[in-house]
Amino acid sequence: MYAYGGRRTKAQQDAATVEIGYALVSALFAAGVLFGAVAGPALLFDLPRLLSLVLLRLGTAVAPVVFTARVISVLVRFRKAGQPSHPGRTNPDS
């Protein structure tokens, strides 16, 4: 909650909120795509019962893992990156 010995600025709070939203949306997308890739054939085609069941369970088991891993990786990367001292400037000496 505190950064550099003081309270967070409104800009820092907004940046954290946007990053959390991005992490959740991108994780949901990644998990959905993975579930569709793994379990999709079982839902679209007439496969043998055992194979269909395995694909559905595998997709259901892997999707939450991917969701969690994506959220954690985005938020850890955001925390390590920090905020630029001069937004919009690419050269620190400018």
Side-chain angles (χ1 to χ4, degrees):
M1 176 146 171
Y2 297 100
Y4 306 110
R7 294 184 77 65
R8 288 184 181 177
T9 65
K10 181 67 174 157
Q12 290 171 327
Q13 291 174 353
D14 291 345
T17 301
V18 168
E19 198 66 22
I20 290 168
Y22 168 73
L24 292 173
V25 169
S26 68
L28 184 64
F29 179 76
V33 167
L34 184 78
F35 178 80
V38 173
L43 299 171
L44 294 175
F45 303 114
D46 189 25
L47 298 175
R49 180 169 159 71
L50 180 62
L51 180 60
S52 218
L53 185 64
V54 167
L55 289 176
L56 285 171
R57 293 222 172 136
L58 184 63
T60 303
V62 172
V65 173
V66 169
F67 179 86
T68 304
R70 177 68 182 165
V71 169
I72 290 171
S73 70
V74 168
L75 294 180
V76 166
R77 187 177 58 220
F78 174 70
R79 185 174 180 185
K80 286 183 181 178
Q83 297 297 315
S85 59
H86 300 289
R89 296 185 183 173
T90 57
N91 187 356
D93 296 328
S94 59

